[in-house]
Amino acid sequence: MINILLLLLHIGLVGSLAPPGDWDRFNYAPSSRVVTPVAIHSSHGQLETPENLIGAKGKATFASSGSWLALDFGTEVGGLISLDINTASANSTLALSFTESPMFIRPTASDDSSFPSQNTTYDGILRVQAPLVTGLWQQPAATLRGGFRFLTLVSGSNAPLALSNVTCAISFMPHFPDLRAYTGYFSAEHPTFHDPDFLTKVWYGGAYTVQTNTVPLDTGRKVPFASAGTWANNAHLGVAGPIIVDGAKRDRAVWPGDMGIAVPTQFVSTNDLIPTRNALATMFAAINLKTGALPESGPPLNQQGSDTYHAWTLIGTHNYHLFSGDTEWVREIWSNFTKAVAFLEGKVDSTGLINITGLRDWARLGGGGHNSEGNALLYQVLVTASDLAVQLNETQLATAWATNATALKGRFNDAFWDEGAGLYKDNLTTTLHPQDANSFAVLFNLTGSEEKNQRISEGLQNNWNAIGPVPPELPDTISPFITGFELQAHFIAGQDKRAMDLLERTWGYMLYTDLSVQSTLLEGFTANGSLSYRYYDGYNNDPAYTSHSHGWSSGPTSALTFYLLGLTVTSTQGQTWNFAPHLNTGVPAAEGGFETPLGRFDASWSFDEDSNGNDVLNVQISTPPGTAGTVNLPSDMLASYTRNGLTKNLTLRGSPEITLQGGTHELSWDTDPGMCSSLG
Ligand SMILES: *[C@@H]1O[C@H](CO)[C@@H](O)[C@H](O)[C@H]1NC(C)=O
Ligand SMILES: *[C@@H]1O[C@H](CO)[C@@H](O)[C@H](O)[C@H]1NC(C)=O
Ligand SMILES: *[C@@H]1O[C@H](CO)[C@@H](O)[C@H](O)[C@H]1NC(C)=O
Ligand SMILES: *[C@@H]1O[C@H](CO)[C@@H](O)[C@H](O)[C@H]1NC(C)=O
Ligand SMILES: *[C@@H]1O[C@H](CO)[C@@H](O)[C@H](O)[C@H]1NC(C)=O
Ligand SMILES: *[C@@H]1O[C@H](CO)[C@@H](O)[C@H](O)[C@H]1NC(C)=O
Ligand SMILES: *[C@@H]1O[C@H](CO)[C@@H](O)[C@H](O)[C@H]1NC(C)=O
Ligand SMILES: *[C@@H]1O[C@H](CO)[C@@H](O)[C@H](O)[C@H]1NC(C)=O
Ligand SMILES: *[C@@H]1O[C@H](CO)[C@@H](O)[C@H](O)[C@H]1NC(C)=O
Ligand SMILES: *[C@@H]1O[C@H](CO)[C@@H](O)[C@H](O)[C@H]1NC(C)=O
Ligand SMILES: *[C@@H]1O[C@H](CO)[C@@H](O)[C@H](O)[C@H]1NC(C)=O
């Protein structure tokens, strides 16, 4: 009897997976931790039966000197290669090169990860030690490639060489025997997009991107960087593993700014938050006890001197606590946390604004002094720190931080709002209106006004070209990181169609371009879509260095769940929640959900016709018992959606606000006359 109860309790704690469904075919995560090539990309020289290597069916023979074979794993993967050497003689040689982008498939070099170099060939190739020994060969652990889609096998001599059984043992998510064991899911068709399944695909693309960034503790990029012609990924990354890093191929280090996007993705997809706690704990353990400064990045980089990334560690602590409810851990770091808040507050001068002096940031130019982005981040630090303090019963501190937040909000609007432009300025002495601060101002509710939200949403659109926003603060670039915040800002402004347009431009470009891996998401690109991200700002004009799997680019994953589907947690673990679907995206129906320690949260909505042919909106919400939530539908909103090639315009008349307890509820709205009925 007791044993059975304990077993049930255990199952309850382990959590429950997302329901199976049609959406599973868009999950990019492999079904096995050992994967084989799925196609031959290209070959050169004389080869016999190279197709045998697809799916590890048999032997391939390299029959001439310099023959090489580029194998395609179909999606981004990362890990250690093993293969069988079936035939080799004393003079046979074998080398391996790796790349994310097919642009850098070369028998002489991998893409770059150790260091950015204009020749694009810093990393070089991995030579299997000669003389070759027949039998199983396994890639040495230190030479791990954390992210690649293409593997090129190169025979360097006329001596015979035959290989078989080429596999990659996935290294990321080491604690997940089943990489597809998601707790969250999402599904929505957009009938007028060039690929109607794009929204679902990009949701899963973001989720898989963050999985590839969740890595074992001793697989960081080596610092000082490996010498030219080599690479090494055996550095120690923090206080515990697995740990979340910025990118699969590189930097393979903790970067708290990136986590501002990657962690909400992780929450709605795998709910795998321990790697996040390990990353945050790594930052707090490395605080400068004299000054209270947090590092900008984790070891072995240990980059210092960024006030904004310092702020992101603090904001990230609130995110982690909101999703996990891990108050015990927050108590552990609380003394370092308060020192770190005081560090930022100490930079607030007589103007009432923070003077940003730690200038390192997400790559943007400028950013110093009384800068609006830095002040927006400080505001969010104070609001979220105050909320955490309330939960720790630190009432006085909670009030003091909240009071300072309110004061800063007033100062922010006085100092930076440019009424003529309808946007915030970058600082007090410029007319530049940055993408980052304007997106943050809407997202963090610094505007406090619907009218400002509308003007900012409109103003930000002026930065767009065919594939996305070109930030004034980093010219000739598109930043999917900052664009992930802009995307949320358009949703918050109620500009659902504009949000969809942005999604299709920027993420549509990334997910489909044949310059990339068509599964995980690029770190950034130039305004014309080339891979030369940051060519003039830190990356030495090296397009081979750009990461093709960066969690900071996964903004759509949480945005589709939180805004388009409309389901969010509004207090720790979802004790309270909100359902506020965005209904004017053109999508006729959406479905999805996620898990917290309290249980599953699932919802769906759909425009339908009732038996009288009237338009109705049907909603289903299911949340854990003991929770409580609110439902908000737009009132008197014009919306349109497309189904079966037919576009319908309707007026949505929601009810002001419905309060619900946990459990399963079905609700239905007539779009006219606007009555809401609860069916259960
Ligand atoms: C191996 O290479 C050496 C040097 O090029 C050559 O002298 C020798 O004949 C080769 N051996 C075989 C078995 O091909
Ligand atoms: C590429 O440039 C780097 C310097 O950035 C140099 O160390 C390396 O040797 C060059 N590689 C080749 C193959 O020339
Ligand atoms: C094929 O490779 C795997 C490692 O991926 C290894 O465990 C297995 O023994 C190899 N099979 C053969 C027949 O050598
Ligand atoms: C707080 O910071 C100090 C100083 O760096 C460090 O020794 C300690 O481990 C940190 N505490 C926690 C819980 O991270
Ligand atoms: C103010 O903003 C402009 C535009 O971003 C920038 O060029 C300038 O350096 C900034 N001023 C300071 C003090 O950082
Ligand atoms: C910000 O602080 C730095 C360092 O104290 C100082 O040099 C700079 O003048 C200050 N900037 C402003 C706008 O006050
Ligand atoms: C805060 O105080 C309340 C009431 O005294 C108590 O129930 C709660 O457990 C306390 N929370 C924490 C985190 O100490
Ligand atoms: C609130 O702001 C004032 C003025 O900048 C500052 O002196 C005080 O330390 C701040 N309080 C907290 C708790 O940070
Ligand atoms: C945003 O701030 C305003 C006050 O400036 C407040 O009335 C409103 O409730 C806030 N909105 C949200 C969503 O917190
Ligand atoms: C794309 O932009 C980069 C950076 O400005 C430039 O070097 C490159 O020539 C452009 N490519 C094309 C095809 O215009
Ligand atoms: C729906 O509204 C749009 C713009 O408001 C209009 O162009 C379109 O013709 C309308 N479609 C129908 C079927 O009424």
Side-chain angles (χ1 to χ4, degrees):
M1 189 67 164
I2 288 166
N3 280 340
I4 291 169
L5 282 176
L6 282 177
L7 184 68
L8 289 175
L9 185 67
H10 183 67
I11 290 168
L13 287 175
V14 163
S16 52
L17 297 183
D22 192 39
W23 41 86
D24 289 327
R25 62 195 173 94
F26 302 110
N27 189 326
Y28 293 97
S31 55
S32 162
R33 293 199 58 94
V34 176
V35 293
T36 54
V38 301
I40 290 172
H41 176 275
S42 49
S43 65
H44 178 86
Q46 233 180 311
L47 290 151
E48 284 160 24
T49 59
E51 67 280 1
N52 275 345
L53 297 185
I54 300 169
K57 288 193 293 280
K59 252 185 343 194
T61 304
F62 294 72
S64 68
S65 176
S67 52
W68 55 265
L69 176 64
L71 298 168
D72 180 358
F73 283 87
T75 59
E76 175 90 350
V77 296
L80 294 170
I81 301 293
S82 70
L83 50 82
D84 287 340
I85 300 175
N86 303 95
T87 312
S89 72
N91 282 356
S92 307
T93 69
L94 172 62
L96 285 66
S97 78
F98 300 82
T99 178
E100 296 186 304
S101 170
M103 277 185 70
F104 302 109
I105 293 172
R106 304 169 292 194
T108 49
S110 298
D111 60 4
D112 280 341
S113 69
S114 291
F115 186 74
S117 178
Q118 187 156 8
N119 59 22
T120 76
T121 57
Y122 187 93
D123 276 27
I125 54 175
L126 176 63
R127 291 174 210 280
V128 176
Q129 196 177 353
L132 300 184
V133 180
T134 56
L136 187 65
W137 174 83
Q138 287 175 300
Q139 185 179 356
T143 68
L144 172 91
R145 291 299 286 198
F148 62 93
R149 176 173 163 178
F150 301 98
L151 164 69
T152 302
L153 301 169
V154 189
S155 166
S157 77
N158 271 323
L161 177 66
L163 306 174
S164 64
N165 197 20
V166 176
T167 64
C168 172
I170 300 278
S171 56
F172 53 80
M173 301 281 285
H175 52 312
F176 265 52
D178 177 2
L179 292 166
R180 296 169 66 88
Y182 283 21
T183 50
Y185 76 109
F186 175 82
S187 175
E189 266 186 42
H190 200 300
T192 62
F193 279 0
H194 79 278
D195 175 357
D197 294 318
F198 166 65
L199 293 176
T200 310
K201 283 183 184 167
V202 80
W203 192 94
Y204 282 97
Y208 184 52
T209 298
V210 173
Q211 287 189 288
T212 69
N213 296 177
T214 303
V215 307
L217 188 58
D218 288 303
T219 64
R221 178 176 60 166
K222 181 177 172 279
V223 176
F225 305 133
S227 55
T230 67
W231 65 84
N233 285 310
N234 57 355
H236 197 65
L237 285 167
V239 298
I243 193 163
I244 184 168
V245 296
D246 61 329
K249 179 183 74 171
R250 58 140 275 275
D251 292 335
R252 296 185 73 81
V254 175
W255 287 95
D258 305 47
M259 290 167 67
I261 292 279
V263 172
T265 299
Q266 185 186 51
F267 166 60
V268 300
S269 58
T270 57
N271 195 28
D272 173 35
L273 296 168
I274 297 303
T276 290
R277 184 177 74 189
N278 292 339
L280 292 170
T282 298
M283 295 293 111
F284 285 112
I287 195 171
N288 180 326
L289 270 191
K290 271 199 213 106
T291 62
L294 294 166
E296 185 198 20
S297 72
L301 277 175
N302 293 317
Q303 196 76 58
Q304 309 289 319
S306 170
D307 292 342
T308 54
Y309 272 50
H310 177 116
W312 277 118
T313 292
L314 299 171
I315 295 166
T317 300
H318 182 265
N319 271 342
Y320 169 67
H321 184 260
L322 174 68
F323 302 143
S324 71
D326 188 355
T327 307
E328 203 181 310
W329 177 77
V330 176
R331 277 204 182 291
E332 274 175 37
I333 54 94
W334 190 246
S335 128
N336 286 356
F337 181 96
T338 54
K339 280 187 196 102
V341 178
F343 170 81
L344 292 180
E345 284 285 77
K347 294 189 180 202
V348 174
D349 62 23
S350 58
T351 63
L353 297 167
I354 186 171
N355 172 4
I356 298 293
T357 54
L359 297 185
R360 290 186 49 90
D361 203 351
W362 59 269
R364 58 131 48 224
L365 307 178
H370 298 124
N371 162 265
S372 54
E373 182 217 2
N375 276 278
L377 286 166
L378 174 60
Y379 175 74
Q380 183 69 354
V381 165
L382 292 171
V383 168
T384 54
S386 174
D387 186 51
L388 277 177
V390 167
Q391 300 191 51
L392 294 185
N393 290 338
E394 301 267 0
T395 321
Q396 274 187 331
L397 208 44
T399 307
W401 282 335
T403 304
N404 281 9
T406 304
L408 180 58
K409 184 169 176 171
R411 284 297 299 129
F412 185 92
N413 282 283
D414 293 344
F416 302 121
W417 181 250
D418 180 344
E419 179 59 28
L423 287 164
Y424 292 100
K425 296 178 297 188
D426 203 30
N427 57 43
L428 304 176
T429 57
T430 181
T431 53
L432 185 145
H433 304 104
Q435 185 193 6
D436 54 12
N438 280 285
S439 303
F440 291 158
V442 176
L443 184 57
F444 301 152
N445 192 23
L446 270 152
T447 60
S449 120
E450 184 52 33
E451 194 218 329
K452 276 184 182 167
N453 287 354
Q454 291 308 322
R455 294 196 67 193
I456 291 169
S457 171
E458 214 173 287
L460 285 172
Q461 193 175 13
N462 293 330
N463 296 329
W464 294 6
N465 71 16
I467 53 173
V470 181
E473 69 272 34
L474 189 62
D476 201 18
T477 300
I478 291 174
S479 169
F481 173 48
I482 299 303
T483 303
F485 299 111
E486 179 179 334
L487 178 68
Q488 298 174 63
H490 295 304
F491 273 125
I492 291 167
Q495 293 294 340
D496 298 351
K497 291 238 156 73
R498 192 174 285 152
M500 287 296 110
D501 186 353
L502 180 57
L503 247 166
E504 205 188 15
R505 279 173 204 250
T506 300
W507 283 273
Y509 178 71
M510 273 192 280
L511 197 59
Y512 300 106
T513 177
D514 58 14
L515 299 179
S516 190
V517 291
Q518 297 172 333
S519 47
T520 56
L521 299 168
L522 271 168
E523 168 184 25
F525 39 100
T526 60
N528 65 10
S530 88
L531 296 178
S532 301
Y533 175 64
R534 294 185 62 177
Y535 63 91
Y536 64 91
D537 183 35
Y539 283 12
N540 300 335
N541 198 13
D542 181 2
Y545 189 65
T546 299
S547 160
H548 292 251
S549 189
H550 239 61
W552 80 354
S553 300
S554 66
T557 304
S558 70
L560 289 170
T561 299
F562 293 159
Y563 299 99
L564 190 146
L565 177 64
L567 195 57
T568 51
V569 296
T570 52
S571 68
T572 310
Q573 296 181 338
Q575 285 159 29
T576 60
W577 46 268
N578 178 244
F579 181 70
H582 282 250
L583 297 168
N584 192 23
T585 57
V587 166
E591 173 170 6
F594 50 78
E595 178 208 54
T596 80
L598 297 179
R600 290 207 59 77
F601 294 72
D602 294 301
S604 65
W605 59 260
S606 170
F607 288 116
D608 298 304
E609 275 181 10
D610 69 10
S611 49
N612 301 322
N614 296 324
D615 292 308
V616 290
L617 176 72
N618 288 315
V619 165
Q620 193 179 79
I621 311 168
S622 181
T623 56
T627 64
T630 52
V631 177
N632 302 93
L633 288 190
S635 52
D636 291 323
M637 191 183 96
L638 295 174
S640 72
Y641 70 91
T642 304
R643 178 180 273 147
N644 301 330
L646 223 69
T647 298
K648 275 209 166 174
N649 292 339
L650 24 101
T651 307
L652 294 165
R653 288 191 238 286
S655 38
E657 181 165 287
I658 304 173
T659 306
L660 293 176
Q661 299 304 308
T664 299
H665 301 272
E666 285 179 22
L667 308 167
S668 181
W669 279 262
D670 286 350
T671 55
D672 202 5
M675 295 295 292
C676 165
S677 52
S678 177
L679 305 178

